[in-house]
Every structure is written in structure tokens, then in C-alpha cells.
Amino acid sequence: MRLVMMGPPGAGKGTQAQEISRRLDIPHISTGDMLRVAIRSGNEVGRKAKEYLEAGRLVPDEVVIELVKDRLSRRDCDEGFILDGFPRTVNQATALDEWLEGNGLRLDAVLDIEVPRDLLLERITGRRVCLFCGNTYHTVYNPPRVPEHCDGCSRELTQRLDDKEFAVRERLAAYDKQAAPLKEYYRRRGILREINGAQPIEQVGREIGKVLGRDWS
Ligand code: AP5
Ligand code: MG
Ligand code: ZN
């Protein structure tokens, strides 16, 4: 299955994509995670992306488009993938469609996780991440077994650099600007599926399962 996950910052894209990836055995491809890894490694993509990420602004289309095309060309994507946080602009969506068409492929669904604004801030401020395995937790809604430590590798959890208030405001503004035309783009193609993200994590997962024709109860 070839899926795209969209929704505002803190909606639960990463949380749900991780679960879908496990259930369907397809890679979870988060452009945000890839860019953060590139920044930590100090490579060329990382150098280009750093200032944008820290400010909460969108990285230029050509940088992310190249990154995603490279990633989708790897063998582990042959049976499908779930893209998380890409495309974010109509320009990126067009580039993705061109790449897919060129390879005789198409998207099965675009899952749009809708969450009211007041819930987003609470989710973002409570988020803790593991820089080593990429696991995401929430102090209240998805706590690790040992407080502030990763279930997977026991290392200490941290907050994302762009989860500071000014960067979050920028990210929300970027979303508000780009989301409507992007949703329209996929609605016209008949593959946009709206998901109610204002429910507990497991329930959102079940709703996604239903939309994809699976029973994940
Ligand atoms: P990215 O990393 O994609 O950040 P984002 O879009 O702001 O989304 P988040 O990762 O903050 O939220 P999420 O929806 O994944 O929520 P999560 O599951 O963690 O992008 C970061 C930056 O990279 C961008 O600002 C930009 O600079 C750059 N970038 C990335 N892609 C780009 C692109 N295509 N083009 C240009 N630039 C790009 O959940 C949040 C918290 O809530 C967690 O703590 C979780 O445990 C909790 N939670 C999740 N679901 C629930 C629930 N149902 N109930 C209660 N709590 C929940
Ligand atoms: Mg995420
Ligand atoms: Zn870890």
C-alpha cells in the first residue's frame, strides 16, 4: 500500500505512521525525521535545512523532493510505503505524482488527521523523543515505562528543538497556508480520507484501519 499522512504539527502523523508501518510491514518515511538526522550528521542536506527547521519554516521544495525520490527508490519501498509530512506543498505533490507515474505506480490513500488547534499545543509541549531510535512519547498520553527514558534503548528522552514556542507558531502558520490547496489537490483525485485525530491514540488507529479496509480492533 502507498500512503501519505498529512495533518498539522502535533496531530499524531508520526505516532500513527509508526503503527501502520508495523502492521502493514512497509517503511515509515518521515521527511522531518530524515532532515533532523541529516542536520545531526552535518551533511550537505543538513546544512541546507538547518536554519529552516529551527525557525519552523518549510525547507525549499527541491531539497525535500530529491531526498524523498532517493528514499523511494530503495528496494524496501517496492511493496509500499507510508510518507509522513511529505508532500506539504502542491509543488511537492506534483513532483511525487510525476515520480510515481514514471514508475507505473499510484497512491492508494492520503490520510488527513484533523485535530482542533487547542489540542495540538498540549500534544507538542508534552512530546518527548528518543534521538537514537526515533521513538516518540508523551508525558501524559503515551508515557515511557520509565519516566524520561526510552522504552527501546533506555537512553534519556529530549524535546525537539523546533518544539519551542516561536517555532511551533511558525509551523502552524506554514500548515495553515499550505494545507488547504494540498487537500483540494488530493480531494479532486478522490483519495483524500479525513480521520478524526481528536481521540485516544488506539482509537485513531482503528479509524485508520477501517478506512484502509482492515480490522485493527
Ligand atoms: P515534521 O517533523 O514533520 O513536524 P510537523 O509536521 O510539525 O509534525 P510533528 O512531527 O510535530 O507532529 P506529528 O503529527 O508527527 O505528531 P506526533 O505523532 O509526534 O517537520 C519538521 C520540520 O521539518 C518542518 O517544520 C520543516 O521545517 C521540515 N520539513 C519536514 N517535511 C517537509 C516538507 N515536506 N517540506 C518542507 N519542509 C519540511 O504526536 C505529537 C505528540 O502527541 C506526541 O507526544 C504523541 O505521543 C502525542 N499524540 C499523538 N497522537 C495522540 C492522540 N491521539 N492523543 C493524545 N496524544 C497523542
Ligand atoms: Mg512527526
Ligand atoms: Zn531510544
Side-chain angles (χ1 to χ4, degrees):
M1 214 176 275
R2 294 178 179 82
L3 305 170
V4 161
M5 190 80 125
M6 63 177 288
K13 300 184 292 296
T15 303
Q16 296 299 332
Q18 200 176 311
E19 186 60 17
I20 298 170
S21 159
R22 193 182 63 81
R23 287 187 185 267
L24 297 180
D25 195 23
I26 50 177
H28 167 204
I29 303 174
S30 155
T31 39
D33 288 349
M34 289 165 80
L35 292 166
R36 281 184 287 275
V37 168
I39 291 172
R40 268 207 308 285
S41 82
N43 65 18
E44 197 192 333
V45 169
R47 284 196 299 277
K48 282 185 193 156
K50 189 167 189 285
E51 59 177 299
Y52 295 97
L53 250 94
E54 285 178 354
R57 286 164 47 216
L58 290 187
V59 173
D61 282 343
E62 58 279 12
V63 177
V64 270
I65 289 170
E66 274 316 300
L67 199 64
V68 169
K69 279 192 201 164
D70 272 3
R71 182 63 189 85
L72 293 182
S73 304
R74 294 201 348 223
R75 291 292 303 274
D76 64 339
C77 293
D78 284 357
E79 301 303 318
F81 51 78
I82 173 150
L83 280 166
D84 158 10
F86 180 97
R88 258 181 164 87
T89 62
V90 170
N91 198 19
Q92 292 178 14
T94 313
L96 175 63
D97 273 347
E98 280 169 8
W99 185 90
L100 288 167
E101 270 163 36
N103 288 282
L105 305 169
R106 60 177 181 80
L107 289 176
D108 294 290
V110 175
L111 305 168
D112 171 34
I113 307 190
E114 296 281 349
V115 178
R117 191 71 23 135
D118 53 334
L119 288 183
L120 296 176
L121 291 174
E122 194 192 356
R123 289 188 186 180
I124 292 173
T125 45
R127 170 164 51 201
R128 298 291 182 276
V129 296
C130 174
L131 292 179
F132 298 90
C133 32
N135 288 344
T136 299
Y137 303 88
H138 190 282
T139 51
V140 178
Y141 302 119
N142 187 17
R145 284 194 292 270
V146 180
E148 302 295 337
H149 287 79
C150 179
D151 290 351
C153 70
S154 307
R155 287 184 172 96
E156 201 171 344
L157 301 174
T158 54
Q159 279 190 283
R160 259 167 52 176
L161 272 177
D162 61 347
D163 279 350
K164 296 205 172 72
E165 204 187 323
F166 77 93
V168 171
R169 232 180 297 129
E170 280 295 321
R171 283 156 60 200
L172 287 167
Y175 180 79
D176 287 341
K177 196 162 152 225
Q178 305 290 353
L182 192 58
K183 275 190 221 174
E184 192 46 38
Y185 180 91
Y186 285 126
R187 195 174 286 124
R188 260 192 265 128
R189 278 163 180 68
I191 54 171
L192 186 75
R193 303 279 178 268
E194 289 185 3
I195 306 289
N196 174 14
Q199 324 176 64
I201 294 175
E202 292 70 29
Q203 228 161 299
V204 178
R206 274 196 290 276
E207 189 174 324
I208 291 175
K210 217 192 244 172
V211 159
L212 299 179
R214 316 271 160 140
D215 182 9
W216 288 346
S217 53

